[in-house]
Amino acid sequence: KALTNPEVSDWYSGKYKIFNECSIIFPDKQGKLQQKRPDRVMISEDSVKIVDFKFGKPSPKYKAQIRFYSKLLLDMGYAKVESFLWYVDEEFVEKVDF
């Protein structure tokens, strides 16, 4: 049922190169390497979409988390990054701007 959402069905259309739970490695402020793992990163010719799956109620900490993922991808040189929180049980997709 969750895949009937038109926005979500596009994510599974086959037009994206998919990275599921792949690590993004970056230096923290002290220079120590850290890693973050977005649930799903989808790359097309002109954009990158990040989706984090959530199975509870919306929370501000989730927005901060995905905004950080977006910043990492922008820092990697991707020009157009879109971020989404998918509350699967709630059947709700939230686009998160940064």
Side-chain angles (χ1 to χ4, degrees):
K1 182 177 176 184
L3 295 178
T4 60
N5 177 322
E7 188 166 40
V8 171
S9 64
D10 178 64
W11 299 342
Y12 293 88
S13 66
K15 71 179 186 182
Y16 299 99
K17 184 172 184 178
I18 305 296
F19 296 91
N20 289 317
E21 294 191 20
C22 287
S23 295
I24 299 173
I25 299 170
F26 63 97
D28 64 15
K29 291 180 181 178
Q30 290 76 37
K32 184 177 176 187
L33 290 180
Q34 302 292 323
Q35 69 176 355
K36 293 290 180 183
R37 285 187 176 179
D39 290 334
R40 186 175 179 93
V41 175
M42 301 168 285
I43 300 175
S44 69
E45 289 183 23
D46 61 345
S47 70
V48 175
K49 296 182 184 210
I50 308 165
V51 178
D52 228 31
F53 306 107
K54 301 300 179 189
F55 296 92
K57 300 288 183 191
S59 170
K61 70 180 181 178
Y62 299 148
K63 287 183 182 182
Q65 177 187 33
I66 200 153
R67 283 182 179 126
F68 188 75
Y69 297 157
S70 297
K71 181 187 176 315
L72 290 174
L73 287 165
L74 287 167
D75 289 349
M76 291 170 65
Y78 292 101
K80 184 177 179 188
V81 178
E82 297 177 286
S83 304
F84 302 87
L85 294 169
W86 182 9
Y87 296 95
V88 179
D89 293 338
E90 302 288 320
E91 299 179 19
F92 171 64
V93 174
E94 178 180 17
K95 184 173 182 180
V96 178
D97 296 319
F98 47 92

